Structures are given as structure tokens and as C-alpha cells.
Amino acid sequence: MKYIALITGASAGIGRAFARQIADSYPSLDEIWVLARRREALKELTRERPGIVFRIFALDLSREEQLESLERKLRKERPCIRLLVNSAGCGKSGPVESQDWRDACRMLDVNCRALTAVTMICLPYLKPGSRLLQVGSGSAFLPQPGFAVYAASKSYVLSFDRALEMELKHRNITVTSVCPGPVDTDFFRMGGITLSPIKKLFLVKPEKVTRKALLDAEAGKSLSICSLSIRMVRLAAKLLPQRLLLELMRAVLL
Ligand SMILES: NC(=O)c1ccc[n+]([C@@H]2O[C@H](COP(=O)([O-])OP(=O)(O)OC[C@H]3O[C@@H](n4cnc5c(N)ncnc54)[C@H](OP(=O)(O)O)[C@@H]3O)[C@@H](O)[C@H]2O)c1
């Protein structure tokens, strides 16, 4: 049986950091399957680690027929997915009123629909001891004026993960929601987002997020949060009235 890791969003940012770190830390894997739309960026990644067998899947995960091609490939090869990392995602900010609904729906297609589809397509190939890592966001813990659709999409991921974790317990498969604050990747540039000075203060490197996430996943933790600021947000969301927090965020973020 072939043991693999499958990583979406591996052409850039957090997904690419996961791919590099998994390549370095899991020498017993037979192959690492990397997925994203940009084939050239995936090829570049694979050239960095010539000793590792990477398989490149240049797929647009928002397109159903491309998800089906992944399903067919897995059905044919029947590997054991030791690690599944769903990192593909995108974000657009700004008041809902000012956004194009098509952009908002495209974001939901990648952040929610594709993540759900890839997870479900891969489930038959996860075995006892396999780890599922879902890249959510610190914005999952609280609605976010000015980033409403994105934050809601990440709340979906968190809710999905917690329920799935319970469903998979009997198979000894863990689900870890990775919830970083702002990370120093192309995410903001791709979404045309200008990072606020407050958020800039809390930027972390993707490697810090992925290192902790892999340790947390191996420890079977449900959540992986690498920064104090997001821990505080989560605590505040549990302890304080939501209305108060939302008014505060409106004042700071809009
Ligand atoms: N950066 C942050 O501040 C931050 C904070 C919290 C959470 N996150 C989450 O972290 C995850 C990764 O973001 P990042 O910061 O690494 O951003 P990034 O550098 O822009 O990377 C996004 C990745 O998603 C892939 N992707 C986007 N749309 C896709 C599609 N339709 N089909 C296939 N792949 C697609 C991109 O590949 P292609 O363009 O090649 O398709 C790229 O590899 C996202 O889920 C994001 O929401 C980011």
C-alpha cells in the first residue's frame, strides 16, 4: 500500500509551507500529492526537494469536473492518505454592499465547497492514524464587519470540522482546524486587500503556522492556534457579549 500526503493550495503561502515541512518531516511517505491551479508554481516547489516523489495536480477546485478527476485518480490508485491538508482558499474584504456577489460566491466555492468536496472524496482513503488538517482562520471565531463573507466561510469550516471529528473518532482519524491570524503570504495581494496597520502588527510567517499545526495534528488536537492574539479573540468571543465585540470591531476595522 502506498502512503501519501495530499495538500491543496500547495502552490503558495501556507499550503506550500505545509508541503515543504511534510517533505522534510515525513520521510516514510511514498508520495506527496500537491494540488492548486498554477502548475508552474507546483513544479517549482517539487524542484526544491529532488529526493521526494511529488505528484502534481493542476486543478481548479471550484470546478466540479476537476474534483471528479481527483476522485477518479484516487479510486484507481487507492493510496492510504496519511495526511490530508486543505489549505486552498481566498479572501476578499470590504463591506458586503460594495462587493460583487460573484466574487463572494467564488470565495465560498473555494473556502467551503471545495474543502468539503476534497475532504469527502478523500475520506475512504484515510486510515486509522491519519490526520486531517483544515486551514480555517482566526476569523472563524467571530463575525467580522468588513470581512463578512470570508469570516462566515471560515466559521463553516470550524463547524464542519467539529462534527466530522466526532464522526471519525471510531476510525481513529483526527481533524485539526488550523486557525491563524494574519499570515505573511500572497493572500492579501491576491484578494486586493490592504492590510490594516493593526493586522500588520500581528503578521506571522507561514512556517510558524505549519510547524505548530503538524505538531498539534499529531497530538490529536482539535484546534491549532499559533498566536496569542487569536487565543485572546477566541476567549473574548466566548466570554463577552457578541454585540459589544462587533461594535468594537466596527469602530476599529471599518
Ligand atoms: N494569509 C493569511 O493571513 C491567512 C490567515 C488565516 C487563514 N488563511 C487561510 O489560509 C489558507 C491559505 O492561504 P494563504 O495565506 O496561503 O494564501 P495564498 O498564498 O494566496 O495561497 C492560496 C492557495 O490556494 C490556492 N487556490 C486558490 N483558489 C484555488 C482554486 N480555485 N483551486 C485550487 N487552488 C486554489 C492557490 O493556488 P493557485 O492560485 O495556484 O490555484 C494557493 O496555493 C486559505 O484557506 C486562507 O483562507 C490565511
Side-chain angles (χ1 to χ4, degrees), residues 160-170 173-176 220-223:
F160 175 61
D161 290 353
R162 289 296 65 77
L164 184 63
E165 177 180 47
M166 287 301 127
E167 292 185 12
L168 295 179
K169 239 185 169 121
H170 72 287
I173 295 165
T174 61
V175 183
T176 304
K221 293 190 181 167
S222 307
L223 266 182

Side-chain angles (χ1 to χ4, degrees), residues 24-200:
D24 294 341
S25 313
Y26 290 82
S28 60
L29 288 173
D30 296 300
E31 292 176 1
I32 300 180
W33 292 20
V34 287
L35 283 68
R37 288 166 301 182
R38 283 171 286 168
R39 182 183 294 279
E40 205 36 58
L42 292 173
K43 272 192 184 158
E44 221 170 273
L45 166 74
T46 66
R47 282 195 284 267
E48 288 175 13
R49 305 279 192 284
I52 305 287
V53 182
F54 283 100
R55 296 274 297 273
I56 291 175
F57 295 84
L59 300 176
D60 182 341
L61 297 172
S62 65
R63 296 180 56 181
E64 205 159 309
E65 74 281 5
Q66 307 214 359
L67 287 162
E68 281 164 356
S69 76
L70 173 66
E71 188 175 34
R72 278 195 299 277
K73 186 55 87 181
L74 282 167
R75 202 177 290 142
K76 187 164 167 239
E77 303 209 10
R78 309 200 68 76
C80 165
I81 304 178
R82 166 74 175 81
L83 288 163
L84 169 60
V85 180
N86 272 302
S87 188
C90 53
K92 276 239 170 247
S93 67
V96 174
E97 267 187 318
S98 72
Q99 286 187 24
D100 188 324
W101 62 268
R102 293 170 195 83
D103 288 338
C105 289
R106 265 193 288 273
M107 189 169 24
L108 294 176
D109 280 347
V110 184
N111 295 1
C112 302
R113 218 165 157 263
L115 175 137
T116 308
V118 171
T119 302
M120 293 176 73
I121 288 169
C122 290
L123 274 182
Y125 309 100
L126 298 173
K127 297 285 179 308
S130 292
R131 300 291 187 245
L132 168 53
L133 291 91
Q134 309 277 49
V135 182
S137 163
S139 62
F141 300 122
L142 196 63
Q144 203 168 318
F147 218 2
V149 178
Y150 177 76
S153 76
K154 294 301 181 175
S155 293
Y156 167 89
V157 174
L158 198 58
S159 169
F160 175 61
D161 290 353
R162 289 296 65 77
L164 184 63
E165 177 180 47
M166 287 301 127
E167 292 185 12
L168 295 179
K169 239 185 169 121
H170 72 287
R171 287 177 61 194
N172 189 24
I173 295 165
T174 61
V175 183
T176 304
S177 311
V178 183
C179 295
V183 187
D184 191 5
T185 67
D186 281 347
F187 176 82
F188 301 100
R189 193 177 53 78
M190 299 294 271
I193 302 168
T194 314
L195 203 57
S196 68
I198 291 192
K199 286 194 173 176
K200 262 188 198 158

